[in-house]
mmCIF file of all heavy atoms in Angstrom:
data_model
loop_
_atom_site.group_PDB
_atom_site.id
_atom_site.type_symbol
_atom_site.label_atom_id
_atom_site.label_comp_id
_atom_site.label_asym_id
_atom_site.label_seq_id
_atom_site.Cartn_x
_atom_site.Cartn_y
_atom_site.Cartn_z
ATOM 1 N N LEU A 217 1.038 -21.876 -3.297
ATOM 2 C CA LEU A 217 -0.395 -21.704 -3.147
ATOM 3 C C LEU A 217 -0.881 -22.220 -1.701
ATOM 4 O O LEU A 217 -1.870 -21.772 -1.291
ATOM 5 C CB LEU A 217 -1.202 -22.542 -4.237
ATOM 6 C CG LEU A 217 -1.112 -21.910 -5.655
ATOM 7 C CD1 LEU A 217 -1.674 -22.934 -6.625
ATOM 8 C CD2 LEU A 217 -1.552 -20.537 -5.708
ATOM 9 N N THR A 218 -0.066 -22.981 -1.102
ATOM 10 C CA THR A 218 -0.607 -23.594 0.329
ATOM 11 C C THR A 218 0.164 -22.722 1.422
ATOM 12 O O THR A 218 0.053 -23.020 2.427
ATOM 13 C CB THR A 218 -0.130 -24.945 0.389
ATOM 14 O OG1 THR A 218 1.172 -25.241 0.156
ATOM 15 C CG2 THR A 218 -0.972 -25.851 -0.557
ATOM 16 N N GLY A 219 0.924 -21.717 0.912
ATOM 17 C CA GLY A 219 1.559 -20.781 1.918
ATOM 18 C C GLY A 219 2.755 -21.242 2.563
ATOM 19 O O GLY A 219 3.281 -20.761 3.557
ATOM 20 N N LYS A 220 3.339 -22.383 2.027
ATOM 21 C CA LYS A 220 4.525 -22.966 2.647
ATOM 22 C C LYS A 220 5.768 -22.187 2.228
ATOM 23 O O LYS A 220 6.761 -22.036 2.907
ATOM 24 C CB LYS A 220 4.859 -24.425 2.243
ATOM 25 C CG LYS A 220 3.753 -25.263 3.027
ATOM 26 C CD LYS A 220 3.955 -26.755 2.702
ATOM 27 C CE LYS A 220 3.045 -27.628 3.592
ATOM 28 N NZ LYS A 220 1.590 -27.490 3.122
ATOM 29 N N VAL A 221 5.737 -21.444 1.050
ATOM 30 C CA VAL A 221 6.750 -20.431 0.834
ATOM 31 C C VAL A 221 5.923 -19.135 0.445
ATOM 32 O O VAL A 221 4.791 -19.157 -0.014
ATOM 33 C CB VAL A 221 7.544 -20.839 -0.438
ATOM 34 C CG1 VAL A 221 8.312 -22.138 -0.202
ATOM 35 C CG2 VAL A 221 6.829 -20.998 -1.770
ATOM 36 N N LYS A 222 6.527 -18.046 0.550
ATOM 37 C CA LYS A 222 5.817 -16.789 0.732
ATOM 38 C C LYS A 222 6.206 -15.899 -0.563
ATOM 39 O O LYS A 222 5.609 -14.793 -0.657
ATOM 40 C CB LYS A 222 6.149 -15.947 1.927
ATOM 41 C CG LYS A 222 5.829 -16.685 3.246
ATOM 42 C CD LYS A 222 4.387 -16.976 3.312
ATOM 43 C CE LYS A 222 4.094 -17.579 4.711
ATOM 44 N NZ LYS A 222 2.637 -17.950 4.894
ATOM 45 N N TYR A 223 6.812 -16.470 -1.480
ATOM 46 C CA TYR A 223 7.417 -15.513 -2.460
ATOM 47 C C TYR A 223 7.631 -16.481 -3.753
ATOM 48 O O TYR A 223 8.191 -17.473 -3.726
ATOM 49 C CB TYR A 223 8.708 -14.802 -2.258
ATOM 50 C CG TYR A 223 9.466 -14.065 -3.312
ATOM 51 C CD1 TYR A 223 8.933 -12.643 -3.704
ATOM 52 C CD2 TYR A 223 10.541 -14.565 -3.971
ATOM 53 C CE1 TYR A 223 9.552 -12.172 -4.691
ATOM 54 C CE2 TYR A 223 11.141 -13.892 -4.906
ATOM 55 C CZ TYR A 223 10.614 -12.612 -5.398
ATOM 56 O OH TYR A 223 11.240 -11.952 -6.340
ATOM 57 N N PHE A 224 7.082 -16.027 -4.896
ATOM 58 C CA PHE A 224 7.293 -16.693 -6.115
ATOM 59 C C PHE A 224 7.612 -15.665 -7.234
ATOM 60 O O PHE A 224 6.929 -14.698 -7.470
ATOM 61 C CB PHE A 224 5.937 -17.295 -6.450
ATOM 62 C CG PHE A 224 5.955 -18.332 -7.558
ATOM 63 C CD1 PHE A 224 6.005 -19.754 -7.312
ATOM 64 C CD2 PHE A 224 5.975 -17.954 -8.811
ATOM 65 C CE1 PHE A 224 6.136 -20.692 -8.347
ATOM 66 C CE2 PHE A 224 6.010 -18.985 -9.849
ATOM 67 C CZ PHE A 224 6.085 -20.216 -9.624
ATOM 68 N N MET A 225 8.768 -15.950 -7.883
ATOM 69 C CA MET A 225 9.206 -15.058 -8.908
ATOM 70 C C MET A 225 9.268 -15.716 -10.282
ATOM 71 O O MET A 225 9.414 -16.914 -10.442
ATOM 72 C CB MET A 225 10.635 -14.550 -8.723
ATOM 73 C CG MET A 225 11.183 -13.491 -9.656
ATOM 74 S SD MET A 225 12.844 -12.944 -9.165
ATOM 75 C CE MET A 225 13.160 -11.841 -10.588
ATOM 76 N N GLY A 226 8.886 -14.936 -11.356
ATOM 77 C CA GLY A 226 8.988 -15.399 -12.665
ATOM 78 C C GLY A 226 7.674 -16.224 -13.073
ATOM 79 O O GLY A 226 7.728 -17.288 -13.718
ATOM 80 N N LEU A 227 6.554 -15.698 -12.697
ATOM 81 C CA LEU A 227 5.317 -16.349 -12.911
ATOM 82 C C LEU A 227 4.975 -16.309 -14.442
ATOM 83 O O LEU A 227 4.967 -15.154 -14.959
ATOM 84 C CB LEU A 227 4.269 -15.729 -12.118
ATOM 85 C CG LEU A 227 2.840 -16.187 -12.408
ATOM 86 C CD1 LEU A 227 2.609 -17.653 -11.995
ATOM 87 C CD2 LEU A 227 1.701 -15.356 -11.523
ATOM 88 N N ARG A 228 4.822 -17.449 -15.076
ATOM 89 C CA ARG A 228 4.323 -17.415 -16.363
ATOM 90 C C ARG A 228 3.164 -18.372 -16.567
ATOM 91 O O ARG A 228 3.156 -19.507 -15.933
ATOM 92 C CB ARG A 228 5.554 -17.980 -17.230
ATOM 93 C CG ARG A 228 6.725 -17.064 -17.441
ATOM 94 C CD ARG A 228 7.726 -17.657 -18.426
ATOM 95 N NE ARG A 228 8.287 -18.799 -17.983
ATOM 96 C CZ ARG A 228 9.471 -18.964 -17.284
ATOM 97 N NH1 ARG A 228 10.074 -17.714 -16.859
ATOM 98 N NH2 ARG A 228 9.915 -20.043 -16.881
ATOM 99 N N GLU A 229 2.237 -17.975 -17.327
ATOM 100 C CA GLU A 229 0.902 -18.770 -17.354
ATOM 101 C C GLU A 229 1.369 -20.269 -17.897
ATOM 102 O O GLU A 229 0.583 -21.247 -17.543
ATOM 103 C CB GLU A 229 0.009 -18.203 -18.325
ATOM 104 C CG GLU A 229 -0.673 -16.892 -17.600
ATOM 105 C CD GLU A 229 -2.136 -16.613 -18.132
ATOM 106 O OE1 GLU A 229 -2.717 -17.512 -18.643
ATOM 107 O OE2 GLU A 229 -2.492 -15.419 -18.135
ATOM 108 N N SER A 230 2.379 -20.338 -18.817
ATOM 109 C CA SER A 230 2.547 -21.651 -19.252
ATOM 110 C C SER A 230 3.193 -22.632 -18.248
ATOM 111 O O SER A 230 2.899 -23.752 -18.219
ATOM 112 C CB SER A 230 3.692 -21.493 -20.391
ATOM 113 O OG SER A 230 4.923 -20.897 -19.897
ATOM 114 N N ASP A 231 3.795 -21.997 -17.209
ATOM 115 C CA ASP A 231 4.205 -22.870 -16.062
ATOM 116 C C ASP A 231 3.183 -23.073 -14.986
ATOM 117 O O ASP A 231 3.200 -24.019 -14.225
ATOM 118 C CB ASP A 231 5.489 -22.315 -15.351
ATOM 119 C CG ASP A 231 6.590 -22.154 -16.314
ATOM 120 O OD1 ASP A 231 6.720 -22.927 -17.309
ATOM 121 O OD2 ASP A 231 7.531 -21.254 -16.250
ATOM 122 N N PHE A 232 2.258 -22.176 -14.940
ATOM 123 C CA PHE A 232 1.275 -22.065 -13.744
ATOM 124 C C PHE A 232 -0.135 -22.250 -14.178
ATOM 125 O O PHE A 232 -1.023 -22.046 -13.364
ATOM 126 C CB PHE A 232 1.486 -20.703 -13.137
ATOM 127 C CG PHE A 232 1.469 -20.627 -11.556
ATOM 128 C CD1 PHE A 232 2.636 -20.819 -10.866
ATOM 129 C CD2 PHE A 232 0.408 -20.326 -11.024
ATOM 130 C CE1 PHE A 232 2.642 -20.735 -9.483
ATOM 131 C CE2 PHE A 232 0.307 -20.328 -9.572
ATOM 132 C CZ PHE A 232 1.455 -20.463 -8.886
#
Side-chain angles (χ1 to χ4, degrees):
L217 292 176
T218 57
K220 291 184 172 63
V221 300
K222 302 297 185 182
Y223 173 77
F224 193 101
M225 183 179 179
L227 174 63
R228 294 184 295 270
E229 287 204 28
S230 59
D231 296 334
F232 219 84

